């Protein structure tokens, strides 16, 4: 358990650019703003499955499982 806490604290010190791609940051911002997957897909001109895949990657990279956690992690990383 100590290793997990240590890993998370080191990870939170990383910049967003080393964690998320620019497109992932764009999608993450839209998710936090409350946009739906279909709305994001339409606004970016990509398929819903692309947005779903990006969403999964974002959550995995940030080590989160909920949208509220996404908002908190983006805030911690200085994104918003």
């Amino acid at each position: 358990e100590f290793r997990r806490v240590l890993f998370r604290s080191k990870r939170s010190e990383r910049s967003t650019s080393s964690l998320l791609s620019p497109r992932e940051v764009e999608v993450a911002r839209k998710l936090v703003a409350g946009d739906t997957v279909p709305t994001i897909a339409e606004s970016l001109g990509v398929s819903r499955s692309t947005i779903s895949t990006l969403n999964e990657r974002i959550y995995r990279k940030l080590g989160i499982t909920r949208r509220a956690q996404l908002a908190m992690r983006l805030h911690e990383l200085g994104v918003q």
Side-chain angles (χ1 to χ4, degrees), residues 31 35-42 47-49 51-52 55 67:
L31 289 166
D35 291 355
T36 64
V37 169
T39 302
I40 297 168
E42 186 176 331
S47 72
R48 292 177 184 185
S49 64
I51 299 303
S52 294
N55 189 29
R67 199 176 283 204

Side-chain angles (χ1 to χ4, degrees), residues 42-76:
E42 186 176 331
S43 72
L44 298 179
V46 297
S47 72
R48 292 177 184 185
S49 64
T50 298
I51 299 303
S52 294
T53 299
L54 287 167
N55 189 29
E56 291 171 14
R57 279 192 205 151
I58 292 163
Y59 279 44
R60 185 180 69 246
K61 286 180 177 183
L62 298 180
I64 59 172
T65 57
R66 298 189 179 114
R67 199 176 283 204
Q69 292 172 311
L70 177 59
M72 289 179 3
R73 282 295 278 138
L74 291 182
H75 180 72
E76 288 172 4

